[in-house]
Structure formats: C-alpha cells, structure tokens
C-alpha cells in the first residue's frame, strides 16, 4: 500500500520473506495505478519459495501522466507453512514519474507471525441408553468461556470442535 504526493507512473520492487514460515502463493496488481480508469500493464513476478523472494513486482500506466494519493500497489497472498515470525522486506525499489525521473520513497519492514497449529476435539454424544444424540450443540470451554468453533452432532452422535486455541474443559 502506498501514500504518495508526486504523480506515480510506474514502479518495480522485490519482496523477501522467511521461506521456513511463509510460502508465496500469488502476486496480483493493486488498483492504485489505474484508480482513475487509466489502463495499466504489469510484469509477471518470479516467486522463489526456496529462498523466500519475489522479484520483479512491477506495473506501469499506459498514459503519459501519473496518479497520486493512497492505494494498493500489489496484493500478495501467502500460505503459512511453519511456526514463527517472518519479516517482509521491500528491496530494489524504483518508483518513477511520467517523465522518467525517480521518486524518492521510504519503506518500512513488516512482519507476519504464524502461531502454532490449533487443535480439534472429536467425540460422540449418546443418551443414557447408549443411543446417539443428533443435532446437539457441543462447545469447548475454558474458565467458562468458549474456545474454538462449536460443533453439532451428526446422525450418529459424532462431533468435531475445531480451532481450539487453548486447553478446554
């Protein structure tokens, strides 16, 4: 995302991340450069999940002018593959105005933290005669507060409670 006061015509940058925590799935152009209806063309960036880099994130406007203001330059989708924190670092930047002069900019590092896997609880609800109870709502509680996503029993009384983030009782 950007906030820029000079009219931006085109940009290129790379992004690095920790490949033990994240895997890049896709890179899409953001709407900023074409926010006023001007067509844009974008390069196909190269994703290297082995080293944790995306190179050649680049777009430019078709017209002879630029656009200023706030907006999204690129949208990157990641998938978590490990537990930990990954720094997101923008590198090798080049932002240009319509006349080709470089626009000075500053970037900040960001980070994404991936927490450990969330658990599930499975079980079966039966009545006093041992027959399955269907349609019963089942909730995991810790200190009388629900944790996880509640489940409902199926026709055989089986249930699953997903996304348990804390030990329940």
């Amino acid at each position: 995302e950007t906030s820029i006061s000079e009219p931006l015509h085109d940009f290129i940058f790379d992004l690095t991340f920790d490949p033990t925590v994240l895997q890049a799935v896709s890179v899409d152009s953001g709407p900023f450069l074409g926010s006023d209806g001007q067509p844009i063309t974008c390069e196909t960036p190269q994703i290297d999940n082995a080293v944790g880099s995306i190179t050649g994130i680049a777009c430019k406007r078709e017209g002879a002018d630029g656009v200023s203001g706030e907006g999204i330059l690129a949208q990157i989708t990641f998938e978590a593959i490990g537990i930990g924190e990954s720094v997101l670092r923008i590198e090798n930047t080049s932002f240009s105005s319509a006349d080709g002069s470089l626009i000075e900019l500053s970037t900040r590092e960001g980070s994404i933290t991936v927490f450990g896997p969330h658990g599930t609880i499975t079980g079966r609800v039966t009545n006093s005669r041992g027959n399955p109870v269907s349609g019963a709502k089942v909730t995991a509680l810790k200190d009388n507060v629900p944790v996880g996503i509640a489940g409902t029993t199926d026709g055989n009384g089986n249930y699953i409670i997903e996304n348990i983030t804390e030990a329940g009782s």
Side-chain angles (χ1 to χ4, degrees), residues 75-133:
Q75 297 174 318
I76 302 168
T77 303
F78 289 102
E79 179 179 290
I81 60 168
I83 298 169
E85 182 175 77
S86 175
V87 172
L88 302 177
R89 188 172 292 120
I90 295 173
E91 300 176 335
N92 304 320
T93 60
S94 175
F95 282 45
S96 302
S97 63
D99 66 6
S101 61
L102 294 180
I103 298 173
E104 298 222 10
L105 65 119
S106 63
T107 62
R108 293 180 297 176
E109 289 183 355
S111 66
I112 295 176
T113 302
V114 177
F115 296 98
H118 297 163
T120 59
I121 298 173
T122 60
R124 186 167 187 244
V125 177
T126 59
N127 62 19
S128 60
R129 293 185 216 130
N131 297 322
V133 176

Side-chain angles (χ1 to χ4, degrees), residues 22-164:
L22 299 173
Q23 175 176 302
V25 176
S26 65
V27 180
D28 296 308
S29 64
F32 180 69
L33 283 184
S35 60
D36 60 355
Q38 182 70 40
I40 62 172
T41 58
C42 297
E43 301 295 320
T44 302
Q46 300 301 307
I47 297 173
D48 186 342
N49 283 314
V51 298
S53 71
I54 305 170
T55 56
I57 302 169
C59 292
K60 68 179 173 179
R61 291 169 60 87
E62 295 298 318
D65 62 345
V67 65
S68 59
E70 295 182 6
I72 297 172
L73 295 176
Q75 297 174 318
I76 302 168
T77 303
F78 289 102
E79 179 179 290
I81 60 168
I83 298 169
E85 182 175 77
S86 175
V87 172
L88 302 177
R89 188 172 292 120
I90 295 173
E91 300 176 335
N92 304 320
T93 60
S94 175
F95 282 45
S96 302
S97 63
D99 66 6
S101 61
L102 294 180
I103 298 173
E104 298 222 10
L105 65 119
S106 63
T107 62
R108 293 180 297 176
E109 289 183 355
S111 66
I112 295 176
T113 302
V114 177
F115 296 98
H118 297 163
T120 59
I121 298 173
T122 60
R124 186 167 187 244
V125 177
T126 59
N127 62 19
S128 60
R129 293 185 216 130
N131 297 322
V133 176
S134 66
K137 184 176 178 182
V138 184
T139 305
L141 303 173
K142 179 176 182 184
D143 299 327
N144 220 19
V145 176
V147 292
I149 299 171
T152 303
T153 58
D154 63 15
N156 293 319
N158 297 315
Y159 67 87
I160 184 168
I161 303 171
E162 299 179 296
N163 204 30
I164 303 294

